[in-house]
Every structure is written in structure tokens, then in C-alpha cells.
């Protein structure tokens, strides 16, 4: 067997005793079978043996070169990104756009002259914009990982939100809470797919960019629902609306 030494090199026996002096980087060590020599890199009195070569980049990269696609339609950046992950991200993009569409319909309703609850209109407009930003963030991530964004149909939302018993403000806020919980459930499903496929990058992306924010939104809207249940359908709704109107960053 032939070993080519590192820049500073010695041989040790099993007890760690030096057998040969230091060799320079061009030295070649030959030994026959039956001899128990352990090569180690050394600096001064350092006699800790090496465990062997760990990484050979020019050898290991050969298999990666075979994975680089040559057809122009295929992504060059894609690595360890499964079809399941690509599909679930496209599904979540659709979820975010659908929720944004519903919130935009709520904004249009509360902005009417015969409804005139400007605080709720502001809240739902900001919420719609935020959900659309989430969709765009997912689209950017899809492209970053080498997937293909496939936009799907968006369902037509309601245009009327007045409820005979609850009134429009409470009904719309309860609907918003249901949508936020549904979105959270869908995001957890994305995280589950990432974990199942050992995609740590996707799992971290969902955790850091979405899940914490979703929990905060659910808590805030839950409080709004509780407050609206207290004030009923009368004058208290106007006061609640004024609170939203003058509150900074009220979007879910």
C-alpha cells in the first residue's frame, strides 16, 4: 500500500510511539502487510492519529455532475426537492390566494356607503394584502428550490356578510377566524410533507416564515370575536370599528 503524506506527517504504532521522523509533503511511505502503522498529521508533539480521508471533493462531485440536467426545461438549482413538496407548495399558494380573495370581498362589503365600517374595511384589506404576500413568498420559494409554480382556480367568494342573528361584523370576524385556522392546518400539512421527505430546508422555511405568525393571527382574531360577541349588533360595533380604524398594523 502507498500513502502520500500531508504537509507534516509521521507514523505511530498502536501505542502512539513515533516510529519515523517527520516527513515533508513529497514523501511516500511504503509498508508491508502485517505491520501496524498508523499515519497521522502532526504539529510539534501532536500525536493524535487520523481517522482517514473524510472528504474527497473531486471524486464525490462526479456523481453530482451526473445530476446536473442538460435539457433547458429542467431546473439547474433543484436538489433533494421531491414532487410531493412541489405539489404541496402549489396547493398552499392556492390556499393563500383564495383566503386573500375572501378578505378582499369583505373589504369591499364594509367599504360600502350603506355599511360604512371603515375600520373593518381597513382590517380586511390589509389581511387580503398579507395573504397575497404569503402566496408570492411561496412562489418565490418554489422557484428557488427548482420547482414550477402552477396556479390553480380561485373560488368566487361571498359578497354579502350580514347575518340575521350575529350581524355583519361578528359573522365576518368568525369567518376570518375559521379561515386562519384552516390556513394553519394547511401549513402544518406542508410541514408534515417536508418532514416525511426529510426536507429540512422546507420544514425550516414553513416554521420560520409562517407557523409562528399564524398562531399570533389566530390569537388576535379570537380576541376580536370575543369582543364583538360582548358588544352585540348595536352601537358597540361602531366603537369596535373605530378601534380598528385607528390601530396600527391590524391585519391578521
Amino acid at each position: 500500500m502507498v500513502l502520500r503524506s500531508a504537509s507534516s506527517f509521521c507514523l505511530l504504532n498502536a501505542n502512539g510511539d513515533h516510529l519515523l521522523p517527520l516527513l515533508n509533503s513529497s514523501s511516500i511511505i511504503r509498508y508491508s502487510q502485517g505491520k501496524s502503522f498508523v499515519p497521522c498529521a502532526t504539529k510539534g508533539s501532536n500525536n493524535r492519529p487520523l481517522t482517514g480521508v473524510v472528504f474527497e471533493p473531486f471524486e464525490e462531485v462526479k456523481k453530482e455532475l451526473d445530476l446536473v440536467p442538460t435539457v433547458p426545461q429542467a431546473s439547474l438549482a433543484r436538489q433533494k426537492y421531491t414532487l410531493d413538496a412541489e405539489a404541496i407548495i402549489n396547493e398552499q399558494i392556492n390556499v393563500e390566494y383564495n383566503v386573500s380573495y375572501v378578505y378582499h370581498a369583505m373589504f369591499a362589503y364594509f367599504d360600502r356607503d350603506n355599511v360604512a365600517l371603515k375600520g373593518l374595511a381597513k382590517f380586511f384589506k390589509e389581511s387580503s394584502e398579507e395573504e397575497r404576500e404569503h402566496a408570492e413568498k411561496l412562489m418565490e420559494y418554489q422557484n428557488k428550490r427548482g420547482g414550477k409554480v402552477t396556479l390553480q382556480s380561485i373560488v368566487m367568494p361571498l359578497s354579502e356578510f350580514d347575518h340575521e342573528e350575529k350581524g355583519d361584523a361578528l359573522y365576518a370576524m368568525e369567518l376570518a377566524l375559521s379561515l386562519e385556522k384552516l390556513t394553519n392546518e394547511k401549513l402544518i400539512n406542508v410541514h408534515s410533507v417536508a418532514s416525511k421527505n426529510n426536507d429540512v430546508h422546507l420544514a425550516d422555511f414553513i416554521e420560520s416564515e409562517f407557523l409562528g405568525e399564524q398562531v399570533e393571527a389566530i390569537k388576535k382574531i379570537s380576541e376580536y370575536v370575543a369582543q364583538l360577541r360582548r358588544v352585540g349588533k348595536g352601537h358597540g360595533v361602531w366603537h369596535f370599528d373605530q378601534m380598528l380604524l385607528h390601530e396600527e398594523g391590524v391585519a391578521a
Side-chain angles (χ1 to χ4, degrees):
M1 178 178 179
V2 178
L3 296 177
R4 190 173 297 276
S5 70
S7 58
S8 183
F9 199 86
C10 73
L11 284 182
L12 305 177
N13 63 15
N15 296 322
D17 301 323
H18 285 274
L19 298 180
L20 290 177
L22 296 179
L23 304 171
N24 60 35
S25 60
S26 61
S27 301
I28 297 179
I29 304 163
R30 300 179 182 274
Y31 64 91
S32 59
Q33 285 186 330
K35 299 293 183 180
S36 180
F37 293 152
V38 179
C40 79
T42 178
K43 180 179 181 181
S45 60
N46 180 10
N47 61 358
R48 290 174 296 176
L50 289 174
T51 58
V53 177
V54 176
F55 179 51
E56 295 181 81
F58 293 105
E59 289 297 321
E60 295 192 25
V61 80
K62 290 180 180 178
K63 60 184 180 182
E64 299 298 334
L65 284 173
D66 294 335
L67 299 178
V68 176
T70 56
V71 293
Q73 295 82 7
S75 168
L76 296 172
R78 188 166 189 148
Q79 184 184 29
K80 310 296 183 182
Y81 191 55
T82 64
L83 294 176
D84 286 344
E86 180 180 351
I88 202 70
I89 288 294
N90 280 329
E91 180 180 321
Q92 190 62 33
I93 291 169
N94 184 254
V95 169
E96 302 289 345
Y97 270 128
N98 270 286
V99 174
S100 174
Y101 211 33
V102 174
Y103 285 155
H104 220 167
M106 291 180 178
F107 152 70
Y109 171 83
F110 287 106
D111 191 54
R112 292 180 191 172
D113 67 285
N114 59 337
V115 179
L117 291 173
K118 296 293 185 179
L120 284 159
K122 174 188 174 185
F123 173 79
F124 288 120
K125 182 179 181 181
E126 291 177 357
S127 298
S128 176
E129 291 170 350
E130 185 169 332
E131 298 302 327
R132 188 170 68 250
E133 288 173 1
H134 289 174
E136 291 173 357
K137 186 180 291 185
L138 288 162
M139 292 169 73
E140 290 172 359
Y141 182 83
Q142 184 80 290
N143 287 334
K144 186 181 296 183
R145 291 297 303 275
K148 291 183 179 180
V149 173
T150 305
L151 297 179
Q152 303 170 40
S153 300
I154 299 177
V155 178
M156 184 179 70
L158 298 174
S159 58
E160 300 294 331
F161 296 94
D162 196 12
H163 191 278
E164 183 177 351
E165 296 179 4
K166 299 178 180 180
D168 49 9
L170 176 57
Y171 176 69
M173 200 60 73
E174 286 183 345
L175 179 57
L177 179 58
S178 298
L179 289 170
E180 293 298 325
K181 287 187 173 183
L182 176 62
T183 301
N184 189 53
E185 184 178 331
K186 295 292 186 179
L187 286 166
I188 292 172
N189 189 35
V190 176
H191 189 277
S192 176
V193 171
S195 300
K196 179 181 177 182
N197 289 282
N198 199 29
D199 192 332
V200 294
H201 192 280
L202 177 56
D204 177 71
F205 172 70
I206 296 299
E207 289 174 14
S208 61
E209 298 291 336
F210 293 95
L211 291 181
E213 182 179 319
Q214 204 64 36
V215 169
E216 294 294 332
I218 290 171
K219 172 64 162 58
K220 181 167 64 176
I221 297 179
S222 296
E223 293 175 347
Y224 288 167
V225 169
Q227 291 166 2
L228 284 168
R229 285 178 177 177
R230 285 181 178 274
V231 303
K233 296 191 294 182
H235 189 69
V237 172
W238 183 85
H239 282 286
F240 178 87
D241 183 75
Q242 290 298 300
M243 177 198 73
L244 289 183
L245 184 61
H246 301 292
E247 187 176 352
E248 295 294 331
V250 297

